[in-house]
Amino acid sequence: MITQLPHTLICTIGTSLIYPNLASLPKNEDNYPAWLNKQPEEDRQHFSKDFIINLRALFTAKNFKGVAESLAQLPGNTRLCGAEINSITDLMTHQYCQQNSELFFCHSQTPEGHDIVNILENYYQQKGYQVETREILGLQDKEPKLFRTKGLRNLAKTVSQTIREKNHQFCAINATGGYKAQIAIAVLIGQALEVPVYYKHERFSEIIAFPPMPIALDFNLWLEKSGLLTILEREEIIEWSTDFDEDWDEKMETLIEREDGCIHLSATGQIFHETFKGRFESDRDTFLPPLIPSQQKVRPVLTDHSWGNARPKIIDFLQKITEKCSYVKKCRTHYWNPDLSLPIRFRKKEDQVEGILSNGSWTVKFYVDTSANTEGQVVACIADLNSRVQDFE
């Protein structure tokens, strides 16, 4: 069976091109011999004195287009070109991806990250490549907490979404550049989304591929807990409530981090959520139960409470669920609290689908009666309802 080489290459970006490579260029002709002696012997033939002094001047002036044009005169495996160019050159030389691959550069939220991606973008555009850049918010080294809670998670989200947009069969990840923690994230994304991941250490003679790992992610867990995961994706961080006890499963410990009474998705959790959200969106109809004829659908049933001004909003919300979801027969309330605020979501309660609606001051809980005949169909309904909350509001 012949498989097509990847034509989309997603690259993490580090700082080696600037530190130490460009920043250590000799400042004048007197320093040139000492600098040249420190370069790999096979590279020295490309470094004339005029070329290096001019490159230093371009870099000092922040003329990054000029820097890119100068680097383009060197072979792509020259160490001075930096880890990103070296590794991309190797990937194409060894035919791990197509020669004209579309390049996505994921760079840090730092001045150096912006400078380097500027050079790389100019370098590859003048060679005829299609290039897109992605700044990863929170990916920086000044605030470790922000790096862990936002940076790595945003990296996972950006790479996963790009793979979904471009189709995993045609993507590869080059995890050579950037912080070491990015390699772990890249490998996990590759495993989850079935995308090859490559890495080149400066002392390696060539790039290496990370072998596939025998790790399976729990799709049923995502289906059942999609409500809490969707809230965390949307809100990023929420205060823990005892109501979440019913949503919890010890399997989620690696997916969610707790801090100061609040919870948020971990980078692993972001990958987990992105992986199965994409899979569910692609195959939604194969998971959901059969439709219910419109004549068998029933208007919402509200318990005997004094609903006040909330009644019209509740009926409207439940009626939209019944009308818009082919597998829903009716919705019926079973809980009302006029002084409670909870995130809107759907979850599994015993063997039923429970919905939670709140306007920030009151909360109603209700059961959604569906045509589901199996546990798999029940949790598929939950995932579908959570993905469509905005349709009902």
Side-chain angles (χ1 to χ4, degrees), residues 198-214:
Y198 298 94
Y199 173 78
K200 183 179 183 182
H201 189 274
E202 63 178 5
R203 297 186 184 279
F204 291 174
S205 60
E206 62 183 57
I207 202 161
I208 63 169
F210 285 96
M213 297 178 292

Side-chain angles (χ1 to χ4, degrees), residues 196-361:
V197 181
Y198 298 94
Y199 173 78
K200 183 179 183 182
H201 189 274
E202 63 178 5
R203 297 186 184 279
F204 291 174
S205 60
E206 62 183 57
I207 202 161
I208 63 169
F210 285 96
M213 297 178 292
I215 296 175
L217 300 178
D218 191 342
F219 185 37
N220 277 347
L221 178 66
W222 180 84
L223 289 170
E224 185 176 335
K225 306 302 180 183
S226 59
L228 181 56
L229 294 170
T230 300
I231 293 168
L232 289 171
E233 179 189 35
R234 183 174 63 245
E235 303 295 336
E236 291 198 353
I237 185 167
I238 58 175
E239 186 175 352
W240 179 263
S241 165
T242 55
D243 188 71
F244 290 133
D245 289 343
E246 295 186 50
D247 297 82
W248 192 250
D249 186 304
E250 63 179 9
K251 295 178 183 177
M252 300 177 70
E253 288 292 347
T254 59
L255 308 179
I256 291 175
E257 296 187 1
R258 304 171 185 263
E259 191 169 3
D260 300 327
C262 295
I263 58 173
H264 59 85
L265 281 178
S266 65
T268 303
Q270 186 69 51
I271 296 170
F272 179 80
H273 184 55
E274 293 288 341
T275 298
F276 290 128
K277 182 174 68 173
R279 182 180 301 182
F280 184 74
E281 289 173 355
S282 298
D283 301 320
R284 185 188 306 263
D285 292 341
T286 64
F287 299 120
L288 292 173
L291 63 82
I292 294 175
S294 57
Q295 62 270 24
Q296 295 181 19
K297 289 177 175 279
V298 179
R299 289 187 60 79
V301 177
L302 273 62
T303 47
D304 187 18
H305 287 101
S306 177
W307 301 97
N309 294 331
R311 185 180 182 88
K313 179 175 177 62
I314 294 170
I315 291 178
D316 181 65
F317 189 85
L318 302 189
Q319 186 62 34
K320 285 179 179 176
I321 294 173
T322 308
E323 292 175 352
K324 293 177 179 290
C325 299
S326 63
Y327 51 84
V328 174
K329 180 178 182 179
K330 71 177 180 182
C331 298
R332 48 195 172 87
T333 65
H334 71 89
Y335 173 91
W336 164 252
N337 190 323
D339 302 306
L340 179 65
S341 175
L342 291 175
I344 299 174
R345 66 193 187 281
F346 295 86
R347 65 187 181 187
K348 185 179 178 186
K349 187 177 180 67
E350 297 177 347
D351 294 326
Q352 301 185 76
V353 178
E354 182 185 56
I356 300 173
L357 172 64
S358 177
N359 76 337
S361 61

